[in-house]
């Protein structure tokens, strides 16, 4: 990533932090939550503020439960359905 960052690109892991948990999508676990900035096997680089969700914690849990069904580990594809795609969809679900 250091070489590619010169051109403004690279291969990065993405997750979404909401209600003191970080959620992402993995090829071996599907949708998974962990404490923020502590995802095993990935180095934290930066946070991007996506705004606040008007949803309650319970509503967010329901969204994540639905996404767990829609995003099984078996559906992971490194280029077409990865943690970046999941994070984009989750952000859109949470903040519009």
């Amino acid at each position: 990533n250091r070489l590619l960052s010169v051109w403004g690109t690279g291969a990065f892991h993405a997750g979404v932090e909401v209600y003191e948990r970080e959620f992402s999508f993995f090829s071996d676990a599907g949708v998974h939550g962990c404490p923020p900035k502590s995802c095993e096997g990935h180095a934290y680089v930066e946070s991007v503020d996506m705004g606040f969700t008007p949803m309650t914690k319970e509503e967010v849990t329901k969204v994540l439960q639905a996404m767990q069904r829609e995003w099984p580990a078996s559906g992971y594809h490194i280029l077409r359905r990865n943690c970046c795609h999941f994070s984009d969809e989750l952000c859109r679900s949470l903040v519009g």
Side-chain angles (χ1 to χ4, degrees), residues 52-64:
F52 294 93
T53 182
M55 294 182 175
T56 65
K57 190 173 184 177
E58 292 75 24
E59 290 170 323
V60 169
T61 298
K62 287 180 183 178
V63 167
L64 287 162

Side-chain angles (χ1 to χ4, degrees), residues 17-91:
E17 183 179 334
V18 60
Y19 288 112
E20 300 176 9
R21 296 284 293 168
E22 181 179 313
F23 297 94
S24 192
F25 178 60
F26 299 90
S27 61
D28 61 344
V31 177
H32 178 72
C34 65
K37 302 177 183 110
S38 66
C39 180
E40 243 180 77
H42 299 282
Y44 171 77
V45 177
E46 71 176 304
S47 292
V48 177
D49 188 348
M50 302 304 288
F52 294 93
T53 182
M55 294 182 175
T56 65
K57 190 173 184 177
E58 292 75 24
E59 290 170 323
V60 169
T61 298
K62 287 180 183 178
V63 167
L64 287 162
Q65 288 170 340
M67 290 185 79
Q68 284 177 322
R69 291 187 296 275
E70 297 167 14
W71 291 79
S74 62
Y76 185 92
H77 186 279
I78 195 162
L79 298 176
R80 292 189 295 267
R81 192 168 173 86
N82 59 41
C83 60
C84 295
H85 300 104
F86 170 83
S87 295
D88 180 55
E89 187 171 317
L90 180 54
C91 280

